[in-house]
Amino acid sequence: MSSEGSVKKDIDNLPPLEDYFTKESDLNSEQKIAASCLDENILVLAGAGCGKTKTIIARAQFLIENHTSAKDVHILTFTRKASAEIVQRVKTNLGEKAEGLKASTFHTWCMSLIRRSPDLFGCKDYSVIDREDQLSIFRFYRAASKFANNPEMPRALDLLDAYSYTRNVGGTFKQTLEKNHPSSLELFDEIKKIIIAFEKRKEESKYLDYDDILEVVANQIENHPKIRDWVASQQSYLLVDEFQDTNPLQWKLINPLIYKINLFCVGDDAQSIYGFRGADFENIHSFKDKIPNATILKLTKNYRSTQEILDLSNWLLDQSKLDYQKKLVAARGNGSMPELHTFLNEWEEASWIVEDLKSAFADGKKWKENMILTRAQFAARSVERGLIEAKIPYVFIGGRKILESGHIKDVLACLRVVANSKDDLSWMRFLKLFKGIGDVKAAKLLDQLASCIDIQDCIKTIKYDLSIPENVPRLLEVVSKTKTTKNAFRESVIGLSKILENKYKGSNWEKRIKDFPVVEQLTEKFNTILEFIEAYILEPIYETEGGIVPVKDYVTLITIHSAKGLEANRCYVISASQGVYPLARHLGEDREIEEDRRVLYVALTRAKDKLLITRSGNESAASMQKSKSDINDQYFFADLPDDLYENKDHRYKNNYEDIFEELDFISAKPSTNVDLE
DNA sequence: GGCAATCTCCTTTTT
DNA sequence: GGAGATTGCC
C-alpha cells in the first residue's frame, strides 16, 4: 500500500483518545501518544520496563479498531514467545476482529514470503538447515583442506561465525577475518576455497541457511520493484520490536518498503546486546538520517521495578564513557535493596540459590515468580543440577533446544532422508547410527546413492549392498510408507529405539526418552516433516523436565539474551564475577566492554521487586592470559557504591578445608572481599 | 584399515 | 556436556 494508505487520512474520524483507551488500559500519556500517533514512520525510544510490549499491543489494537483490518498489520519480534504473547493479548482484547493479525520473527516472516511464492525468490524445494548443519559442512571442507592442521587455520566454528557476520553486516569476508582472525590471512586463498565449497554445497543440496532466508528476500525486494510492491502489499503496517538489535541485513529488508508501508519501531539503545550478530544501536541514533520525516517519541516512566533496582542499573550505565541519557525513575516507588552475594565457588553459589528459592517458596511465593539469569549457558549448569536434585520444576530458555539434542536429531535424520533423499548430512548421521558403519562406509554408500532419483531407489541400492545391516533398508521402507508425519516419527523412534538406547545409555537416557512423545505431539500439526523441522529451526522450543511446559508453576532459568522483554518478581543474576562482566577476553576492546555492560544492564532491569546478584571465585579469569589486576580494575562491580546494595559474603561460613583449597583466591589480604572489591 | 571406546579440552550470546 | 584427538580392538 502506498502513502495514501497512511493513517493521516483518517485523522478526522478518530474517537477521542481517552474514550478509546479506557478499555484496554492504564496506558500513560506517553504510551497513548505512541500507540495512536498518526505519522507514517515512528521510532519509540523506550527505557527498560517502560511498557514497550504494552504499547505495541495497544498500537496494534488501535490500528485494527480504527484504520485497517488485522491481516494488514505485521509485528516483527525477536522470539516465538514474544510474538505468541502479543497476538494472544490482542486477540483476548479484540476477539474476532483480531483474526489474521500476524507476529513473527524476521526469519519466519521471510520464510513465509518464500513459501507463499517460492519461484519469486528462486527457492523452490529448498530446505532450511540450522547452525549445526552449517557447522558440519564447514568441518567437512575444513578437514579436507591441505592446511587443516595449520595453526593459523581458523576453527570451523570461527569460519562459520565470520561468514555469518559478514553476511549480516555487509562488507567482505576478508575484512571480517582481518578484524577477528588477522593471522589467518596468510591462508586466505585456502580459506576462500572452503567458503566457495560451502556455498556450492548449499546450492547443490538446496539448503537455505539462516542468512540465506533473509538475504534472498532482501535482494529480490531491492532489485525488483514488482516484488517490492508485492511484499509491501502483504501488510500496510509493520511494527518492529527490539529495533536496537536489528542489523544491516534486516534493515536491507525494511528500507525498500519505507514510504510504501507505515513503520513503527520500538527500541532502547541501552539494551542493544546483539553486536556479535551485526546489530548496531547507532541505528537508533541515525533513524532520522535514514528516514527524514520520522517522528521520534519516548517512553520514560518505569513501571516494572522498584527504585533501588533502578538506582543500581542507572549507576551501571552512568559509569560508561558512552552517554546513554538514561535515568530510569520508578513509578512504583521504593522497595528493597539489591543484594550482592559472594561465594567461594560456583557449587556453593548454586546450592545457596536453590535454598533461597525453597525458602521463598515456603513463604508462599510461586516458582514462577523467579527468574535465574545467566550470561552463558555453561555457567548455569551447576544451578541446573541443583534444581534437578531439589526437584524444583524449571524451564531453561536458551539452553539446549529440543530439536538439537542428539537423540531427536538421530530420529529426524531418518525422517529427513526419507523426505529428501539428497540430504547427505542426514544420510551420514542416520547411517552412522548402525553398528559397523562409520564415516568411511557411510561416505562410500553415499557415493552410490548420489545417482538415485528418490528414496525408493535408494532403498533398493542399499538392499543390494550386503555389507549394510538389513535393518537399515527395512526401517527406511517402513517410514517411507507412513501417511502422516506423526506416524513417520513414531515408526522411526520404534525402529531406532534399541540403537538409541545403546548409544545414550549412561547419558540421561531415562530423561531423553521422555522427549519422544513430546516431539511426536509437535509433529502432528504439520503436513510434512520438512515443514515441521523448518518451523522449529526458525523458532526453537527448549528442552524441559518432562514436557514442553511440564507443570504450570516453574522457575525460569534463562540466558540474558533470551530474556529481553521479560520480567519477574525475583531475579537472580548469577556468576556476576570478575572476568565475566566484562569478559576477561574483552579487556581493551571498548565496543565489547560496552556490550557486556548492556548485557548486565538488561539482566538487572528484569527484576520487579527483588534483585539478587550472585558471584563466586574468579573461575574464568584464571584461565585468561590477562592480568588479574586488569580484570579487577575493569570489573563493573569493582567500586560499586555502598549505598546501592547490601553486601552478603558467604565465604567464611564454610569449613576450613574449603578455605584452604581456595587459598590462592583469598590469600593476599586477610580482610573480607579480597580481589573482588 | 576401519571402527569403537576413552580421554581431554573448552565453553558468550541467537535466528 | 560435547567435539576432537588418541588409543585399542577386530
Side-chain angles (χ1 to χ4, degrees):
Chain A
M1 191 176 279
S2 66
S3 55
E4 304 101 77
S6 141
V7 284
K8 282 187 180 120
K9 67 175 179 188
D10 297 315
I11 193 159
D12 298 330
N13 309 325
L14 274 183
L17 284 185
E18 282 68 25
D19 288 358
Y20 174 73
F21 282 116
T22 44
K23 250 195 279 175
E24 148 82 351
S25 57
D26 31 327
L27 292 185
N28 70 24
S29 59
E30 289 174 338
Q31 293 167 337
K32 273 184 206 168
I33 290 168
S36 58
C37 178
L38 302 172
D39 298 337
E40 208 176 345
N41 296 300
I42 301 162
L43 171 67
V44 181
L45 294 168
C50 294
K52 255 188 317 163
T53 306
K54 192 187 215 175
T55 304
I56 288 178
I57 290 168
R59 173 81 181 169
Q61 284 178 213
F62 174 80
L63 292 173
I64 293 167
E65 295 231 284
N66 297 289
H67 298 286
T68 189
S69 70
K71 63 178 169 40
D72 219 15
V73 178
H74 198 122
I75 305 169
L76 290 174
T77 59
F78 237 65
T79 61
R80 164 195 294 272
K81 200 173 170 169
S83 47
E85 192 192 324
I86 289 172
V87 170
Q88 186 52 50
R89 274 169 63 182
V90 176
K91 281 188 176 162
T92 304
N93 292 335
L94 298 188
E96 253 179 31
K97 259 186 136 175
E99 220 41 63
L101 173 69
K102 288 164 301 219
S104 68
T105 61
F106 273 92
H107 286 84
T108 307
W109 179 50
C110 287
M111 204 61 221
S112 69
L113 292 170
I114 293 172
R115 287 298 178 230
R116 222 169 300 161
S117 192
D119 292 323
L120 228 48
F121 300 97
C123 292
K124 208 160 183 286
D125 298 325
Y126 273 64
S127 60
V128 172
I129 56 170
D130 66 8
R131 189 178 154 85
E132 290 280 303
D133 295 330
Q134 296 184 71
L135 202 52
S136 309
I137 302 175
F138 266 109
R139 279 208 195 97
F140 178 83
Y141 289 111
R142 186 190 179 283
S145 163
K146 280 177 291 190
F147 295 83
N149 293 321
N150 188 310
E152 301 303 344
M153 176 60 85
R155 298 174 306 170
L157 189 78
D158 297 325
L159 291 174
L160 171 57
D161 283 346
Y163 177 75
S164 180
Y165 182 86
T166 309
R167 299 190 63 197
N168 277 281
V169 300
T172 67
F173 181 71
K174 196 173 188 175
Q175 287 166 340
T176 307
L177 272 189
E178 220 157 7
K179 199 173 125 217
N180 297 335
H181 309 279
S183 60
S184 72
L185 279 180
E186 58 182 87
L187 297 178
F188 187 69
D189 287 338
E190 276 306 305
I191 295 172
K192 212 159 73 180
K193 283 181 198 161
I194 299 174
I195 301 295
I196 291 168
F198 174 81
E199 295 194 322
K200 189 164 161 245
R201 173 71 169 277
K202 278 198 300 185
E203 184 74 42
E204 282 168 2
S205 302
K206 297 201 162 194
Y207 289 143
L208 287 175
D209 64 28
Y210 288 120
D211 306 324
D212 294 326
I213 293 167
L214 301 193
E215 199 166 5
V216 151
V217 175
N219 283 341
Q220 294 302 83
I221 290 181
E222 195 172 65
N223 298 330
H224 302 283
K226 283 203 170 128
I227 297 180
R228 191 184 313 150
D229 289 341
W230 177 71
V231 171
S233 76
Q234 300 295 301
Q235 64 281 300
S236 353
Y237 297 91
L238 201 55
L239 280 51
V240 185
D241 197 4
E242 309 288 2
F243 186 71
Q244 76 282 357
D245 281 324
T246 56
N247 64 34
L249 177 53
Q250 289 163 329
W251 183 249
K252 200 173 152 187
L253 279 162
I254 297 174
N255 191 33
L257 304 178
I258 292 170
Y259 302 118
K260 291 180 178 296
I261 58 168
N262 297 278
L263 189 61
F264 181 85
C265 301
V266 186
D268 177 7
D269 52 351
Q271 294 185 71
S272 168
I273 54 175
Y274 279 81
F276 65 93
R277 192 167 96 175
D280 184 355
F281 65 86
E282 288 296 334
N283 65 8
I284 286 207
H285 302 149
S286 61
F287 198 78
K288 248 193 133 53
D289 303 330
K290 286 171 172 158
I291 311 176
N293 83 343
T295 301
I296 315 282
L297 300 171
K298 279 189 175 181
L299 305 181
T300 58
K301 275 211 191 73
N302 178 293
Y303 292 90
R304 178 180 295 152
S305 314
T306 50
Q307 190 60 48
E308 287 80 357
I309 292 168
L310 298 183
D311 285 342
L312 180 58
S313 310
N314 287 335
W315 173 85
L316 178 68
L317 281 195
D318 211 40
Q319 297 298 105
S320 167
K321 284 179 211 157
L322 301 177
D323 181 11
Y324 291 101
Q325 302 188 334
K326 286 261 147 50
K327 206 118 210 114
L328 293 176
V329 177
R332 295 179 54 200
N334 293 88
S336 65
M337 270 293 187
E339 293 172 16
L340 178 59
H341 295 259
T342 308
F343 302 87
L344 271 178
N345 56 51
E346 56 175 306
W347 299 282
E348 308 230 328
E349 183 180 348
S351 63
W352 179 83
I353 289 169
V354 169
E355 288 309 313
D356 199 57
L357 284 167
K358 280 202 235 164
S359 69
F361 188 72
D363 283 349
K365 304 257 189 269
K366 294 243 161 61
W367 295 126
K368 268 219 146 166
E369 293 180 54
N370 299 282
M371 185 150 79
I372 304 170
L373 294 128
T374 176
R375 168 87 220 243
Q377 287 177 38
F378 74 91
R381 219 168 283 152
S382 47
V383 173
E384 196 175 5
R385 214 173 49 197
L387 293 171
I388 292 171
E389 273 167 20
K391 296 199 163 53
I392 296 174
Y394 74 96
V395 176
F396 187 0
I397 296 172
R400 278 178 308 284
K401 295 156 186 92
I402 204 159
L403 261 64
E404 275 174 9
S405 50
H407 56 298
I408 299 296
K409 282 209 117 174
D410 292 336
V411 174
L412 291 180
C414 174
L415 296 172
R416 291 179 88 150
V417 299
V418 171
N420 172 11
S421 62
K422 292 274 167 246
D423 186 346
D424 35 4
L425 284 175
S426 299
W427 272 115
M428 285 299 278
R429 180 159 197 133
F430 173 68
L431 291 169
K432 279 161 67 178
L433 288 172
F434 295 87
K435 236 190 165 54
I437 305 179
D439 279 314
V440 179
K441 193 173 260 181
K444 255 186 213 153
L445 183 58
L446 270 187
D447 259 357
Q448 295 177 49
L449 295 181
S451 54
C452 295
I453 39 166
D454 61 14
I455 183 66
Q456 296 307 333
D457 208 9
C458 292
I459 294 173
K460 266 186 221 153
T461 308
I462 295 171
K463 270 185 180 165
Y464 194 72
D465 187 335
L466 294 175
S467 68
I468 304 290
E470 56 185 346
N471 47 349
V472 176
R474 202 189 306 140
L475 177 57
L476 291 172
E477 213 151 51
V478 170
V479 173
S480 69
K481 289 210 174 94
T482 53
K483 294 262 166 10
T484 64
T485 52
K486 189 181 169 182
N487 284 340
F489 186 83
R490 171 173 293 180
E491 291 298 341
S492 307
V493 172
I494 293 169
L496 293 170
S497 62
K498 277 248 154 57
I499 294 173
L500 294 179
E501 182 171 357
N502 193 40
K503 180 174 175 186
Y504 294 105
K505 67 170 185 240
S507 69
N508 285 330
W509 173 244
E510 293 306 317
K511 193 183 151 198
R512 287 172 191 261
I513 205 164
K514 290 184 196 154
D515 292 336
F516 296 126
V518 173
V519 179
E520 186 183 303
Q521 217 184 327
L522 292 176
T523 60
E524 212 167 0
K525 281 183 287 193
F526 295 86
N527 292 322
T528 71
I529 200 68
L530 293 178
E531 279 174 36
F532 163 72
I533 291 169
E534 181 175 302
Y536 287 97
I537 284 180
L538 296 182
E539 291 175 2
I541 58 162
Y542 299 95
E543 258 185 52
T544 65
E545 285 291 288
I548 302 169
V549 175
V551 276
K552 281 195 211 103
D553 191 24
Y554 54 83
V555 172
T556 301
L557 180 57
I558 192 166
T559 59
I560 296 166
H561 284 81
S562 306
K564 279 192 324 168
L566 303 183
E567 61 184 19
N569 284 342
R570 310 180 75 249
C571 285
Y572 297 84
V573 178
I574 65 168
S575 64
S577 316
Q578 294 179 49
V580 179
Y581 297 102
L583 277 175
R585 77 166 70 104
H586 289 165
L587 294 184
E589 308 268 346
D590 280 357
R591 275 182 75 93
E592 311 283 343
I593 290 178
E594 284 310 311
E595 181 144 318
D596 284 349
R597 185 190 306 280
R598 295 189 296 265
V599 170
L600 184 54
Y601 178 77
V602 169
L604 301 181
T605 52
R606 298 309 94 196
K608 289 161 85 171
D609 300 330
K610 194 83 201 156
L611 175 59
L612 301 149
I613 304 165
T614 66
R615 61 180 181 183
S616 62
N618 44 357
E619 65 267 41
S620 57
S623 63
M624 299 293 158
Q625 288 107 337
K626 311 277 179 181
S627 86
K628 268 193 168 182
S629 64
D630 279 352
I631 290 168
N632 190 21
D633 288 348
Q634 302 208 34
Y635 179 43
F636 294 145
F637 290 150
D639 36 32
L640 183 54
D642 288 340
D643 57 339
L644 289 181
Y645 73 111
E646 225 171 282
N647 195 19
K648 308 264 190 181
D649 197 325
H650 302 255
R651 282 175 293 177
Y652 297 97
K653 288 176 192 149
N654 304 283
N655 66 51
Y656 289 113
E657 265 175 31
D658 282 348
I659 294 176
F660 283 129
E661 293 228 346
E662 298 288 332
L663 209 53
D664 181 42
F665 168 53
I666 53 169
S667 63
K669 285 157 262 164
S671 60
T672 54
N673 303 336
V674 207
D675 258 28
L676 284 171
E677 295 299 310

